[in-house]
Amino acid sequence: MTILLAGCGDLGTEAGLRFAAAGHRVVGWRRSPEKLPAAIEGAAADLSTAELPPVPADTTAVVVAVAADSPAEAAYRAAYVDGLSHVLDALARDGVTPRRILFVSSTAVYGDAGGGWVDEGTTPAPGGFSGRILREAEELLTKRLRGTGTAPVVLRLGGIYGPGRTRLIDQVRGGAAVVPDDPRYTNRIHRDDAARAIVHLCTMAEEPAPVYVGVDDDPAELGDVLRFLASELGMDVPPSGSAGESRGGNKRCSNALLRGTGYSFAYPTFREGYRDILAGVGVRHP
């Protein structure tokens, strides 16, 4: 297979290395392709513009894994809606029809569920502009691919943690962590499991569903995560208090559909994942 990675940062690079290790040709588009490892054929591309490189004629699957330059609404729109649109335009320009296009989205499209469960059948109700823009991009993918023979696949990832993604560890170490007074569920996935899920959904023989939720097995309460990290670091439990607004909304995301495809997690809960991070396992890709 030939895989095109449109957006090749930390997550895209990890996925690319895993595609390459499985014997596939991998082409990575990013602004600084010289930073990519040798296993990925880099091409200079700015997805916020329409001037994109030629698409390999034998492209089997496209992975759109972009990140906004800043937490501003205009930056989100440029990355997710405009970026996806430009990738789809490039495919049409070059007459390339891949089997699948996987768009990396976020569980932010669900907004807040008051601690309740959500899954692929839950109607998205984004609370902020990030979720609204991601939902707009999801709908754009479905609309543009209708009747083309290319299957759209949306992977809604929870909060990604992993090598170099140590926000909660840093908060506990720095004394800034606060255990919320009220239960607040969080949903996360280790970077390596997110990359493995991308590879799995792009290469599995069965036709994928149009949407998957990518989270681990444990939508843990934030307080449990902070207490665990404090214990692993040999520090006192962080104080309790009001922790302000939840970054992702208070909800519990189910991964049952993804697991039902035969996918299994290397890090089924935050405990295994954070232990490896604290042990220095893995690197964040530049």
Side-chain angles (χ1 to χ4, degrees):
M1 293 173 61
T2 295
I3 309 295
L4 172 61
L5 300 173
C8 210
D10 179 45
L11 176 59
T13 298
E14 183 64 28
L17 289 171
R18 292 170 183 271
F19 277 120
H24 305 299
R25 178 192 177 199
V26 184
V27 176
W29 285 359
R30 63 178 285 174
R31 290 174 184 160
S32 47
E34 69 279 358
K35 294 180 180 178
L36 292 172
I40 300 174
E41 300 174 29
D46 180 351
L47 299 185
S48 68
T49 74
E51 306 301 317
L52 293 179
V55 178
D58 61 346
T59 296
T60 317
V62 178
V63 177
V64 182
V66 295
D69 289 337
S70 74
E73 185 165 353
Y76 267 73
R77 180 164 297 282
Y80 294 103
V81 177
D82 298 345
L84 174 61
S85 183
H86 292 149
V87 171
L88 296 173
D89 290 345
L91 289 164
R93 175 198 70 197
D94 296 343
V96 178
T97 305
R99 283 177 59 205
R100 294 168 192 169
I101 299 179
L102 185 147
F103 174 69
V104 177
S105 185
S106 165
T107 55
V109 300
Y110 293 113
D112 190 285
W117 284 93
V118 301
D119 62 17
E120 293 79 3
T122 304
T123 301
F129 71 80
S130 61
R132 287 197 302 272
I133 289 172
L134 283 161
R135 181 61 184 143
E136 184 180 336
E138 293 180 357
E139 292 174 326
L140 171 69
L141 180 70
T142 302
K143 181 180 178 182
R144 290 279 300 266
L145 294 187
R146 191 171 290 126
T148 64
T150 299
V153 185
V154 171
L155 178 59
R156 294 172 177 162
L157 296 177
I160 302 173
Y161 73 109
R165 299 174 184 257
T166 55
R167 183 178 58 88
L168 290 184
I169 294 171
D170 297 340
Q171 286 182 1
V172 173
R173 276 194 171 129
V178 176
V179 174
D181 288 330
D182 300 318
R184 178 178 300 170
Y185 292 101
T186 62
N187 302 271
R188 60 181 51 76
I189 186 168
H190 192 285
R191 190 257 340 247
D192 292 4
D193 277 330
R196 291 173 60 248
I198 289 170
V199 174
H200 174 72
L201 293 174
C202 285
T203 59
M204 70 182 195
E206 302 80 16
E207 189 70 13
V211 179
Y212 291 92
V213 173
V215 296
D216 67 20
D217 292 343
D218 187 4
E221 286 189 27
L222 178 57
D224 290 343
V225 180
L226 295 174
R227 283 186 283 266
F228 169 82
L229 290 174
S231 174
E232 293 292 306
L233 292 167
M235 300 181 67
D236 293 336
V237 174
S240 300
S242 174
E245 287 296 312
S246 171
R247 284 165 56 94
N250 187 21
K251 56 182 174 282
R252 287 177 279 179
C253 299
S254 168
N255 65 16
L257 189 65
L258 178 60
R259 276 200 168 277
T261 66
Y263 179 81
S264 61
F265 288 81
Y267 300 102
T269 80
F270 67 88
R271 297 171 186 85
E272 298 88 357
Y274 276 120
R275 282 193 178 118
D276 264 13
I277 294 168
L278 291 170
V281 175
V283 295
R284 183 164 185 170
H285 305 293

